[in-house]
Amino acid sequence: MQKPSVPQGTRDFAPAVVRKRQYIFNTLKTMFERYGFQPIETPAMENLETLMGKYGEEGDRLIFKILNNGLHEKKDKARNTLMEEWEKVTSRSYSSTAVTERALRYDLTIPFARFVVMNQNDIAFPFRRYQMQPVWRADKPQSSRYREFWQCDADIVGSNSLINEAELLHIYCGAFDQLKVPVAVKVNSRKMLAGLAELCGAPEKMMEITIALDKLDKIGWTGVEKELTERGIEETGRNTIHRIIQTTGTNAEKLVAFGEIMQASEIGKAGVEEIKKTLDYYAALGGNTEHQLKVDISLARGLNYYTGIIVEVVCTDPNGAVGSIGGGGRYDDLTGLFGLKGISGVGISFGVDRIYDVLQKLDLFPAHLDSGAKIFILNLGGENEIYGLSLLRKIREAGLNAEMYADAAKFDKQMKYANKRGFAYVIIPGDSEREQNKVSLKFFLTGQQQLVGIDECVNVLKIAEQNNMNA
Amino acid sequence: MQKPSVPQGTRDFAPAVVRKRQYIFNTLKTMFERYGFQPIETPAMENLETLMGKYGEEGDRLIFKILNNGLHEKKDKARNTLMEEWEKVTSRSYSSTAVTERALRYDLTIPFARFVVMNQNDIAFPFRRYQMQPVWRADKPQSSRYREFWQCDADIVGSNSLINEAELLHIYCGAFDQLKVPVAVKVNSRKMLAGLAELCGAPEKMMEITIALDKLDKIGWTGVEKELTERGIEETGRNTIHRIIQTTGTNAEKLVAFGEIMQASEIGKAGVEEIKKTLDYYAALGGNTEHQLKVDISLARGLNYYTGIIVEVVCTDPNGAVGSIGGGGRYDDLTGLFGLKGISGVGISFGVDRIYDVLQKLDLFPAHLDSGAKIFILNLGGENEIYGLSLLRKIREAGLNAEMYADAAKFDKQMKYANKRGFAYVIIPGDSEREQNKVSLKFFLTGQQQLVGIDECVNVLKIAEQNNMNA
């Protein structure tokens, strides 16, 4: 028998990990709900045609496709006959398997666009939705990159107001505040990038300039300038770009400087104004625009569909450096892919698996998450077993999580189990305790033990639970 | 452009549906945690060899298989060359697609067994786990049967004690009590069924007898007797079976009668004793053994791997009749499939999609689940917009969920949105309100409207929230 395993790039989640992940999901969910976002869920599998051609050539290759399982066998007899011949040639079984019409969800954005189009008559627009589900990509597995991973997205579609951008920035900052992760939320505008290309006299080269600029952190100005030259940007253009990336100071100061530089570009000026207005709304909603937000002209974001403000989140603690832990921006006409034109949207995404890594590295998970039930009753057999069960009942009826060892096994074996599980309290209902209608209550951490009545025992445990059971 | 759709047998879940489903998941989760169960999660995709051969021939056919995406292309050049020829013949693209090594999870039990074997050194046995995840089957879609559906399983492995059976019965009854679904939890024992076969002089025909008995509800005794005859059960055997299924009375009375009938079968007697002992434990844990539990010798359960007590849950309200909404039992040696012998287990499963249907049919979902944020602020533009945002901030800081219309759209348009979303409160921060540092607070249900200060507004909303916002 082969040793069992999980497919490469996928993971089992043991209890302690599930609880930590739930802590992240619940924090985000509370935040989304606070801001009036509504949950939706879409199926793991989509029609192949829904996904294909939406993520570029590379994306198409990485979509996991599902075999038809003979679900459509009868439709195509000619093919089946050929298939059987082919099977004889290759001595393998391919019949009814080689056609695929379904694929696994590659991201949450395209399924969301499809959902909006299909449910356009039932949805109240502007529609604020959040979605927290796994996606699958046939990527080469590597550290912090999985073939099954989770996305948490919040989007607003059907509104052009920059209040939406401000709200999403608040969700980012608020969520990471809640999680205690120190972050910088980089903010840029595709319109500023387009303005920059105009100022370079090369409006058609916006993507090339953006891609070069995005490497600033890695290759420095010398490297970027070299790349810009190779891509045909003239010296005046390169100087303008150099001037803009050298702009320092507060966000407010940067925006004044950008405004001056962009004077000659209508779209560039519009980009500056949009960021200014977004920050004004952000402040009206109670945020400090100079705290986590960083206006950053070198921010690119990979996806082609962004048209307005773009954002990206990184952890600012060097020990938590895992690359981007969130990103998003405004897009026009995403639903146009499925026949519904003129719906603008803006959205952000949380990279849950990377956020988990950051919390782990910075030791930011709350201590009490690790185990479930904290109360354990020893099974001392016979009448004591029944006595223990009646106590178990009372503890649970008080709203507390508890378990009793199911077998009247040896004391040592039961204590070893209790130890491995990490219970905070062990209750010992033995002969002498039972005869007095009492139990021994042992505090695992201190080793302290006391003889108490049953009601008192339940009360002590209830108070401890209210103190988060951190005894 | 083709009208977008989801694959047959799969579903989108709109916000109101997600909330109702979450209500079910949360109820079950709370119950599992109360009983000391711990959550695990496994990947959507498993290695094909993990799943194949575990669910019978029919099951193998229904497993959704995933194409290899060229992930292993280079390994098998000879195959690729042949594939290219084949593509020319058929004018289709099959290259790198016809081999599959991964498949979608078909149930939660086999992945759980695999998990236990892989993590046997880290797990504290007995291991109580729960798991709530979707599974996929290439079944023919029909009413209440989907290709993507959710299972919620609770299992205990590594203990033979019948306390485990009693605990799981409590979870069943407790969970459905919480959900307010009237249920019967049928209880039988594979050992009693084996005893019955022995009494018929045909111990090797246990499965045939069980399958015939399982049809009692549908085809009556005449039909069952005919089938038993066809399957070669002698008249004395048929009479014994008839006698046992005619046994009426309380569970306690039935067990006395079964005990007498089973006198001549050791395994049959053991089955009766196991149910008796389970019910004793159930009573010690505070349950009424004559309330929801129904000892039922005609209960079969499809899966072959059960060896001890088996259970099944049905809704007893005729308006909620959707077939079985849960089932389970004791199995031996499930982990033996993956090389870990001698681990006995017992588990139950909740059919979440059918439970949803029951709650819907019987109108049992709590009223307050339907919408998220209940508080809506109108956007009256200009200074009022900023004033509205500052109010929005205060409401959220008070821990309340709220949203403001992002665009300064026409009053009617905004009210139409509010109506469709079902908010309970609409806040109107207009010129005159702002000048007095107040707002108009409108109760959507009654139409009542009052002018209040900002702090008062927040207080009124907080109190309403505490009263579940059922204003």
Side-chain angles (χ1 to χ4, degrees):
Chain A
M1 189 174 325
Q2 213 180 326
K3 220 177 138 190
S5 64
V6 295
Q8 220 191 348
T10 71
R11 297 159 290 169
D12 283 326
F13 299 119
V17 181
V18 173
R19 293 186 196 286
K20 286 177 176 175
R21 289 168 54 86
Q22 284 299 333
Y23 164 71
I24 299 173
F25 288 123
N26 289 339
T27 303
L28 298 181
K29 185 179 177 225
T30 304
M31 193 60 60
F32 295 147
E33 292 280 348
R34 181 68 35 87
Y35 283 74
F37 286 72
Q38 306 222 79
I40 73 159
E41 291 178 9
T42 63
M45 49 176 89
E46 292 277 351
N47 292 322
L48 191 57
E49 64 194 14
T50 299
L51 304 186
M52 292 300 278
K54 309 302 191 299
Y55 307 104
E57 221 172 282
E58 172 72 0
D60 280 358
R61 256 189 0 93
L62 299 184
I63 292 170
F64 274 116
K65 293 153 197 91
I66 297 166
L67 291 172
N68 266 356
N69 272 66
L71 293 170
H72 300 259
E73 259 176 338
K74 283 166 199 158
K75 281 188 186 166
D76 199 347
K77 280 193 183 165
R79 188 182 66 77
N80 292 341
T81 313
L82 277 170
M83 234 347 159
E84 278 163 29
E85 283 169 31
W86 167 247
E87 286 180 3
K88 279 177 208 151
V89 174
T90 59
S91 309
R92 287 177 185 235
S93 169
Y94 299 102
S95 53
S96 77
T97 62
V99 175
T100 168
E101 291 167 9
R102 296 169 195 79
L104 291 179
R105 187 168 53 215
Y106 180 86
D107 74 355
L108 302 181
T109 307
I110 292 297
F112 171 54
R114 178 196 51 68
F115 177 94
V116 169
V117 175
M118 282 177 68
N119 297 278
Q120 53 186 287
N121 297 323
D122 300 320
I123 291 171
F125 290 99
F127 182 40
R128 308 182 150 215
R129 88 86 171 74
Y130 68 91
Q131 192 171 352
M132 313 198 292
Q133 292 190 284
V135 303
W136 296 269
R137 295 183 188 179
D139 240 320
K140 208 177 147 190
Q142 45 182 279
S143 165
S144 289
R145 182 171 291 180
Y146 304 102
R147 286 188 177 153
E148 174 180 67
F149 60 98
W150 271 253
Q151 292 190 330
C152 288
D153 283 16
D155 288 79
I156 304 155
V157 292
S159 165
N160 294 312
S161 168
L162 294 165
I163 287 179
N164 300 306
E165 273 83 342
E167 295 250 79
L168 292 173
L169 288 176
H170 265 282
I171 289 180
Y172 259 155
C173 295
F176 286 111
D177 270 355
Q178 283 282 320
L179 294 169
K180 299 186 171 49
V181 177
V183 292
V185 181
K186 298 180 190 172
V187 182
N188 196 8
S189 158
R190 277 284 158 118
K191 291 181 184 170
M192 288 209 306
L193 292 167
L196 209 54
E198 270 189 15
L199 295 180
C200 292
E204 76 289 356
K205 288 190 176 155
M206 198 260 274
M207 286 306 294
E208 283 98 321
I209 294 170
T210 303
I211 289 164
L213 261 183
D214 189 39
K215 298 178 188 163
L216 188 62
D217 282 352
K218 284 181 198 151
I219 60 177
W221 171 246
T222 323
V224 172
E225 190 173 27
K226 187 163 166 265
E227 199 165 318
L228 290 170
T229 312
E230 282 164 14
R231 290 171 187 273
I233 305 298
E234 305 285 333
E235 195 183 352
T236 28
R238 297 201 302 271
N239 288 344
T240 306
I241 295 174
H242 194 207
R243 195 175 142 214
I244 207 162
I245 61 161
Q246 279 192 307
T247 308
T248 54
T250 63
N251 291 327
E253 287 162 357
K254 277 188 196 168
L255 288 169
V256 169
F258 290 173
E260 283 163 12
I261 297 170
M262 295 286 178
Q263 272 309 319
S265 163
E266 284 307 314
I267 191 161
K269 274 195 290 184
V272 175
E273 282 310 308
E274 282 184 5
I275 297 186
K276 270 191 190 161
K277 195 158 187 193
T278 298
L279 297 192
D280 286 347
Y281 284 136
Y282 185 85
L285 276 161
N288 177 346
T289 58
E290 300 293 346
H291 178 36
Q292 291 135 311
L293 305 186
K294 306 281 171 215
V295 173
D296 182 350
I297 189 83
S298 76
L299 172 68
R301 297 294 304 157
L303 288 166
N304 293 331
Y305 53 69
Y306 293 126
T307 52
I309 280 176
I310 50 178
V311 295
E312 184 170 281
V313 187
V314 291
C315 175
T316 51
D317 186 323
N319 296 322
V322 296
S324 156
I325 51 177
R330 178 167 289 274
Y331 43 84
D332 286 337
D333 210 26
L334 194 65
T335 55
L337 291 169
F338 301 107
L340 180 63
K341 300 277 180 200
I343 303 267
S344 174
V346 55
I348 57 172
S349 185
F350 288 82
V352 172
D353 298 272
R354 283 193 179 172
I355 293 169
Y356 183 98
D357 291 344
V358 171
L359 294 183
Q360 195 72 25
K361 282 174 191 219
L362 301 183
D363 198 17
L364 292 174
F365 283 111
H368 64 85
L369 291 178
D370 271 16
S371 67
K374 293 276 197 305
I375 304 165
F376 178 62
I377 302 180
L378 283 178
N379 185 336
L380 298 171
E383 284 181 58
N384 295 326
E385 183 176 73
I386 298 296
Y387 183 61
L389 289 175
S390 67
L391 178 67
L392 183 58
R393 167 198 179 181
K394 281 187 182 151
I395 291 170
R396 286 180 182 154
E397 280 175 358
L400 300 168
N401 302 339
E403 63 175 281
M404 182 170 118
Y405 205 78
D407 303 81
K410 282 188 182 148
F411 184 83
D412 281 357
K413 189 175 179 186
Q414 295 191 45
M415 288 307 279
K416 204 173 151 190
Y417 170 81
N419 209 11
K420 200 162 180 180
R421 281 278 273 111
F423 295 107
Y425 302 93
V426 176
I427 294 169
I428 306 161
D431 286 337
S432 70
E433 284 92 352
R434 178 172 48 79
E435 278 151 20
Q436 300 172 70
N437 211 26
K438 294 192 170 179
V439 292
S440 292
L441 175 61
K442 187 184 169 82
F443 296 76
F444 220 89
L445 209 67
T446 61
Q448 193 197 347
Q449 185 171 322
Q450 63 191 67
L451 189 71
V452 289
I454 287 177
D455 288 347
E456 194 188 341
C457 177
V458 173
N459 273 335
V460 168
L461 296 171
K462 266 170 83 172
I463 290 163
E465 166 78 17
Q466 281 152 15
N467 300 332
N468 238 331
M469 307 204 89
N470 289 327
Chain B
M1 189 174 325
Q2 213 181 325
K3 220 176 138 191
S5 64
V6 295
Q8 218 191 349
T10 71
R11 297 159 289 169
D12 282 327
F13 298 118
V17 180
V18 173
R19 293 187 197 285
K20 287 177 175 175
R21 289 169 55 87
Q22 284 299 332
Y23 164 71
I24 299 174
F25 288 123
N26 289 340
T27 303
L28 298 181
K29 185 180 176 220
T30 304
M31 192 62 60
F32 295 148
E33 293 280 349
R34 181 69 34 91
Y35 283 75
F37 286 73
Q38 306 221 78
I40 72 160
E41 291 178 10
T42 64
M45 50 176 89
E46 292 278 352
N47 291 323
L48 192 56
E49 64 194 13
T50 300
L51 304 186
M52 292 300 278
K54 308 302 192 300
Y55 307 103
E57 221 171 282
E58 173 72 358
D60 279 357
R61 257 191 356 94
L62 300 184
I63 292 170
F64 274 116
K65 292 152 199 91
I66 297 166
L67 291 172
N68 266 356
N69 272 66
L71 292 171
H72 300 259
E73 258 176 336
K74 283 165 198 160
K75 282 188 187 166
D76 199 348
K77 280 191 182 167
R79 188 182 67 75
N80 291 340
T81 312
L82 278 171
M83 234 347 161
E84 278 162 29
E85 283 169 30
W86 168 246
E87 285 179 3
K88 280 177 209 152
V89 175
T90 60
S91 310
R92 288 176 185 236
S93 168
Y94 299 102
S95 53
S96 77
T97 61
V99 175
T100 168
E101 291 166 10
R102 298 169 195 77
L104 291 179
R105 188 168 51 215
Y106 181 87
D107 74 355
L108 302 180
T109 307
I110 292 298
F112 171 54
R114 178 197 52 68
F115 177 93
V116 169
V117 174
M118 282 177 68
N119 296 279
Q120 53 186 287
N121 296 323
D122 300 320
I123 290 171
F125 289 101
F127 182 40
R128 309 182 149 214
R129 88 86 172 75
Y130 69 92
Q131 192 171 352
M132 314 199 292
Q133 292 191 282
V135 302
W136 296 270
R137 296 183 186 179
D139 241 320
K140 207 177 148 191
Q142 45 183 280
S143 166
S144 288
R145 182 172 291 183
Y146 303 102
R147 286 188 178 154
E148 173 179 67
F149 60 98
W150 271 253
Q151 293 190 330
C152 289
D153 284 17
D155 288 79
I156 304 155
V157 292
S159 166
N160 294 310
S161 167
L162 294 165
I163 287 179
N164 299 307
E165 273 82 341
E167 295 249 79
L168 291 172
L169 289 176
H170 265 282
I171 289 180
Y172 260 155
C173 295
F176 286 111
D177 270 355
Q178 284 282 318
L179 294 169
K180 298 187 171 50
V181 176
V183 292
V185 180
K186 297 181 190 173
V187 182
N188 196 7
S189 159
R190 276 284 158 118
K191 290 180 184 170
M192 289 209 305
L193 292 168
L196 209 56
E198 269 190 15
L199 295 179
C200 293
E204 77 289 356
K205 288 189 176 156
M206 199 260 273
M207 286 307 293
E208 282 98 321
I209 294 170
T210 303
I211 290 164
L213 261 183
D214 189 40
K215 298 179 188 162
L216 188 63
D217 282 353
K218 284 181 200 151
I219 59 177
W221 171 246
T222 323
V224 171
E225 190 174 28
K226 186 159 166 269
E227 200 164 317
L228 289 171
T229 311
E230 282 164 13
R231 289 171 187 274
I233 306 299
E234 305 286 333
E235 195 182 352
T236 27
R238 298 200 303 270
N239 287 344
T240 306
I241 295 174
H242 194 206
R243 196 174 139 214
I244 207 163
I245 61 162
Q246 278 192 307
T247 309
T248 54
T250 63
N251 291 326
E253 286 163 356
K254 276 188 195 169
L255 288 170
V256 169
F258 290 173
E260 283 163 10
I261 296 170
M262 294 288 178
Q263 272 311 316
S265 163
E266 283 309 313
I267 192 163
K269 275 195 290 184
V272 175
E273 282 311 308
E274 282 184 5
I275 296 186
K276 269 190 191 160
K277 195 158 187 194
T278 299
L279 296 193
D280 287 347
Y281 284 136
Y282 185 86
L285 276 162
N288 176 346
T289 57
E290 300 294 345
H291 177 38
Q292 291 136 312
L293 306 186
K294 307 281 170 215
V295 174
D296 182 350
I297 189 83
S298 76
L299 172 67
R301 297 294 303 157
L303 288 166
N304 294 330
Y305 54 68
Y306 292 126
T307 52
I309 280 176
I310 50 177
V311 294
E312 184 170 280
V313 186
V314 291
C315 174
T316 50
D317 185 323
N319 296 322
V322 296
S324 156
I325 52 177
R330 179 168 287 275
Y331 43 83
D332 286 336
D333 211 27
L334 193 65
T335 56
L337 292 169
F338 301 107
L340 180 62
K341 300 278 180 199
I343 303 266
S344 174
V346 55
I348 56 172
S349 186
F350 288 82
V352 172
D353 298 273
R354 284 192 178 172
I355 293 169
Y356 184 98
D357 291 345
V358 171
L359 293 182
Q360 196 72 24
K361 282 175 191 218
L362 302 183
D363 198 16
L364 292 174
F365 283 110
H368 65 85
L369 292 178
D370 271 14
S371 68
K374 293 276 197 305
I375 303 165
F376 179 63
I377 303 179
L378 284 178
N379 184 337
L380 299 170
E383 283 181 59
N384 296 325
E385 183 176 73
I386 298 296
Y387 183 61
L389 288 176
S390 67
L391 178 66
L392 182 59
R393 166 199 179 178
K394 281 188 183 152
I395 292 170
R396 287 180 182 155
E397 280 176 358
L400 300 168
N401 302 339
E403 64 176 280
M404 182 171 119
Y405 205 79
D407 302 82
K410 282 188 181 148
F411 184 83
D412 281 358
K413 188 175 180 186
Q414 294 191 45
M415 288 307 278
K416 204 173 151 189
Y417 170 80
N419 209 12
K420 200 163 180 179
R421 281 278 274 111
F423 295 106
Y425 302 94
V426 176
I427 294 169
I428 306 161
D431 286 336
S432 69
E433 284 91 353
R434 179 172 47 80
E435 279 152 19
Q436 301 172 70
N437 211 26
K438 293 191 170 182
V439 293
S440 292
L441 175 62
K442 186 184 169 83
F443 296 76
F444 220 91
L445 209 67
T446 61
Q448 193 196 345
Q449 185 172 323
Q450 62 190 68
L451 189 71
V452 288
I454 287 178
D455 289 347
E456 193 188 342
C457 176
V458 174
N459 273 335
V460 167
L461 296 172
K462 266 171 82 172
I463 290 163
E465 167 77 17
Q466 282 151 16
N467 300 332
N468 240 331
M469 307 204 89
N470 290 327

